[in-house]
Amino acid sequence: DAKTTQPPSMDCAEGRAANLPCNHSTISGNEYVYWYRQIHSQGPQYIIHGLKNNETNEMASLIITEDRKSSTLILPHATLRDTAVYYCIVPDNFGNEKLTFGTGTRLTIIP
Amino acid sequence: GAGVSQSPSNKVTEKGKDVELRCDPISGHTALYWYRQRLGQGLEFLIYFQGNSAPDKSGLPSDRFSAERTGESVSTLTIQRTQQEDSAVYLCASSDRHRSYNSPLHFGNGTRLTVT
């Protein structure tokens, strides 16, 4: 898997947009960027994924830079339930059999 | 629809005993994965099943660990002669790779194994 770098922790005020950055400078042409999150005592939850265009779903938006070396996950109106560890993952071209989950970003939503 | 189901949710066992952990994937998902997560750490890949292909066992930490899957349904992870270092949350995930190569993984809530 391409190596990803995320800040270890971030805080965000409730109701504000949470912007979580991820660097993946070694990403290659047709590798997707995936985001998952893990709320305490639960299994990881898929959020969103994208290749080169920006993506949006009911949970979040994903902004990928034109050179694809970094991306930002945006939670538009953070709630206390968004407090979790967020993982940015770039599986290799041969599929996502061995998704490598690093330590992610621990996002804390402040009331 | 129902998500990935794992049982038991918690298991306490004595060192040296064997344990079996069960995973029911989402119906129709062809791919099934097992991960291990030690306290405060990231996910560690264990094994991957895809349809009728030979499983990728490259993440199994020792020969005390094995896993089986019946067709495209239930999977069982077995740990023989458990050691205290096996204490962790064991997570199962499934995905619909038959539909799309890039289908995301859907995880269960795991089995918390404690070896005393």
Side-chain angles (χ1 to χ4, degrees):
Chain A
D1 296 353
K3 180 175 174 56
T4 62
T5 304
Q6 300 177 252
S9 64
M10 292 180 63
D11 293 340
C12 178
E14 187 178 15
R16 303 294 294 271
N19 297 280
L20 292 92
C22 179
N23 288 322
H24 31 79
S25 58
T26 61
I27 195 170
S28 62
N30 55 355
E31 291 176 331
Y32 281 72
V33 181
Y34 289 77
W35 283 82
Y36 290 78
R37 73 180 182 184
Q38 188 171 25
I39 295 170
H40 183 61
S41 298
Q42 297 182 21
Q45 177 190 24
Y46 165 76
I47 301 173
I48 198 167
H49 73 286
L51 182 62
K52 56 181 71 174
N53 298 320
N54 297 338
E55 301 286 345
T56 295
N57 63 19
E58 66 279 4
M59 291 182 68
S61 294
L62 175 60
I63 308 298
I64 302 174
T65 58
E66 190 170 343
D67 64 7
R68 304 213 320 121
K69 293 184 183 301
S70 66
S71 60
T72 301
L73 179 75
I74 301 173
L75 308 178
H77 303 287
T79 71
L80 297 178
R81 289 176 294 180
D82 292 322
T83 292
V85 178
Y86 286 76
Y87 298 98
C88 168
I89 300 163
V90 178
D92 63 35
N93 283 336
F94 299 99
N96 57 7
E97 293 92 324
K98 301 180 187 179
L99 284 186
T100 301
F101 287 74
T103 53
T105 295
R106 181 172 297 278
L107 176 67
T108 302
I109 306 302
I110 309 296
Chain B
V4 176
S5 176
Q6 292 188 246
S7 60
S9 54
N10 283 284
K11 175 72 176 178
V12 179
T13 190
E14 292 181 352
K15 178 181 174 181
K17 301 282 190 182
D18 297 351
V19 295
E20 284 191 355
L21 313 179
R22 177 186 169 107
C23 173
D24 287 85
I26 293 172
S27 178
H29 279 193
T30 58
L32 187 147
Y33 312 73
W34 284 98
Y35 284 83
R36 176 171 72 178
Q37 187 172 33
R38 291 195 166 112
L39 185 64
Q41 299 187 21
L43 276 70
E44 176 187 4
F45 168 80
L46 297 178
I47 188 169
Y48 159 73
F49 296 89
Q50 170 58 39
N52 295 319
S53 302
D56 178 348
K57 304 180 181 181
S58 61
L60 294 178
S62 76
D63 59 8
R64 296 188 295 105
F65 288 72
S66 62
E68 300 291 333
R69 188 183 186 192
T70 306
E72 294 184 352
S73 61
V74 172
S75 175
T76 302
L77 177 69
T78 301
I79 309 173
Q80 296 179 309
R81 305 181 303 281
T82 52
Q83 304 294 313
Q84 288 184 330
E85 68 209 38
D86 300 333
S87 295
V89 176
Y90 289 82
L91 290 156
C92 176
S94 69
S95 73
D96 187 6
R97 294 188 79 236
H98 180 72
R99 180 182 63 84
S100 168
Y101 194 68
N102 290 299
S103 290
L105 273 61
H106 298 268
F107 283 83
N109 283 327
T111 293
R112 181 176 299 278
L113 175 66
T114 303
V115 182
T116 60

